Amino acid sequence: MIQIWGRNNSHNVQKVLWFCGEIGLEFKREDAGLEFGRVRDADMLARNPNAVIPTIEDDGFVIWESNVILRHLARKYGGADFYPESVEMRTEVERWMDWQQTTLLSPMTTIFWGRARAPDKFPKSEIDEAVQKAERLWQIVSQRLEGRSWVAGEHLSLAEVSIGALAWRWFSLVSEKERAPNDNLEDWFKALCARPAYKEHVMAVPLK
Ligand SMILES: N[C@@H](CCC(=O)N[C@@H](CS)C(=O)NCC(=O)O)C(=O)O
């Protein structure tokens, strides 16, 4: 059984837990990160010298970087729907995964810390600016969803798993008044919310 280290309110950990839920992969999880510490203990630094979560161990093989963990699990346990084998489709999935880390994450982190985790620490202007930036980025997802149900391919894929945990934060922490009406994105989000593993590992976890 795979071992996961990481608190379940980290979106990077949630991606891994949600994906395990989607593919029915059993895991053991130990809390680590922030108030749980552990990440700087010698045994954890030996596994992940970055002192961040998630870290996993699969049959003695240690992996860090959430999106790399997802790709490993998909290749080994997940099947072609989540991480398609055709070169073009795989590139498509990977593009959205990288975009989540390099582009969407930054404003979403400001929104999350500014409105959920440490509301006193961020000036309103900084949060408002992040909301505007993120709004433009979610419009890109919406354009991609024009005429299609999923971001890449005909099935929920790792593209959704990497972006979807942030979608919960977007719809929970940003009011309807601040968001432009966006049917494509809302329909896609509703489809995520209907998935039992998303409910369990993302929606049910308090935003803090
Ligand atoms: N690029 C890394 C980022 C890992 C990361 O920054 N994780 C955050 C939680 S989302 C963390 O460990 N924060 C410090 C902590 O929880 O102690 C990944 O995707 O795994």
Side-chain angles (χ1 to χ4, degrees), residues 152-185:
E154 302 299 315
H155 189 274
L156 180 139
S157 73
L158 292 188
E160 262 82 28
V161 180
S162 64
I163 298 171
L166 293 179
W168 175 248
R169 294 180 175 191
W170 175 246
F171 282 98
S172 304
L173 297 172
V174 176
S175 73
E176 228 169 301
K177 271 192 277 171
E178 294 171 289
R179 292 188 258 116
N182 191 333
D183 288 348
N184 294 344
L185 194 69

Side-chain angles (χ1 to χ4, degrees), residues 184-201:
N184 294 344
L185 194 69
E186 283 164 29
D187 290 349
W188 172 83
F189 178 61
K190 274 189 208 134
L192 298 187
C193 293
R195 300 188 81 90
Y198 188 77
K199 283 194 178 113
E200 179 181 350
H201 297 294

